[in-house]
Amino acid sequence: MAEHQKIYPLHDVPLHDVEAPPMPAPTDPLVPHGTEKSDAGPPRTAEATVLYPPFRRTIPVMHSKPPKKRRSCCCRCLCWTISILVLLLVLIGIVVGILYLVFRPKLPEYSIDKLQVTQFTLGGNDRLDATFTLTLTTTNPNKKIGIYYEGGSHISAWYMETKLCEGALPKFYQGHRNRTVLNVPLVGVTENATALFTTLQQEQQQTGSIPLNLNVRQPVRIKLGSLKLMKVKFSATCRLLVDSVSANNDIVIKNSSCKFKLRL
């Protein structure tokens, strides 16, 4: 008799049922632990979920502003104008400084040498006629500067606030380091002069002197070497103290002083 076959049991081995129908394939995606499932896309973690606020439409507020281009253009023009003026002033200062160092300009000097009274009488119609002849010396102390005395000058003699007579300086050129003596006639008429004539005589008797003022305005041109500059106005005020203003007498000038100014 044939040997009996030994059957050994199989442990921990799953038995496969051949006749069982096959299991369907999984259709749902595998979702890891801690994630959310979404039908519209891949799974998202809970930590990555962001909630956005609802959309709100904002309307911008428009503010009216002045035009900046015009203001900036005006500012640039003003800055350029100021810069040009400053540059011109600096250049003029440099030129004036160089001319001063080269020519060393000095003001001309004047002195009142003599005063002759040809007429100083009070008429019957309360009118005072005065005729003076003024002798003055003008000196140009400059080495390289000449002076042109132009026309249009005016010189007048005053007693207190009243003008007695007037005249004009002649037109001439004064060279370097030159001294010129001028005789200038002064003629004038004063109406309603009885009180003035009486006051003048009383002051002469009480003090023995009469104060007179001479005002001079003279346009001049300065010559620097061969260069003739523009016309400037020269003014002078001289104070005289004389012993008398009687006609046909030798007038003594007790004191005299002059102040000078130059104006463009």
Side-chain angles (χ1 to χ4, degrees), residues 163-230:
K163 182 168 63 174
L164 301 177
C165 50
E166 58 186 351
L169 296 174
K171 183 178 179 181
F172 67 100
Y173 170 74
Q174 190 173 31
H176 311 151
R177 289 190 169 181
N178 178 266
R179 178 175 295 179
T180 304
V181 179
L182 303 174
N183 292 318
V184 183
L186 307 177
V187 179
V189 175
T190 305
E191 302 291 343
N192 302 321
T194 300
L196 173 67
F197 190 78
T198 302
T199 301
L200 193 148
Q201 286 183 332
Q202 290 177 354
E203 184 170 5
Q204 179 180 354
Q205 293 174 358
Q206 293 175 0
T207 63
S209 59
I210 297 174
L212 298 177
N213 292 331
L214 294 177
N215 296 331
V216 181
R217 295 195 305 270
Q218 173 68 53
V220 297
R221 288 182 183 271
I222 306 301
K223 183 180 180 182
L224 301 177
S226 59
L227 179 63
K228 191 175 181 180
L229 300 182
M230 65 179 183

Side-chain angles (χ1 to χ4, degrees), residues 16-22:
H16 176 68
D17 191 356
V18 178
E19 296 180 358

Side-chain angles (χ1 to χ4, degrees), residues 4 24 54 64 93 98 124 134 138 152 162 172 181 199 216 252 258 263:
H4 296 283
S64 60
I98 293 174
L134 185 66
T138 172
T162 303
F172 67 100
V181 179
T199 301
V216 181
V252 178
C258 298
R263 296 181 299 172

Side-chain angles (χ1 to χ4, degrees), residues 4 14 35 53 58 99 107 113 135 186 189 206 208 248:
H4 296 283
T35 61
T58 57
L99 292 177
L107 288 175
D113 301 329
T135 302
L186 307 177
V189 175
Q206 293 175 0
N248 300 320

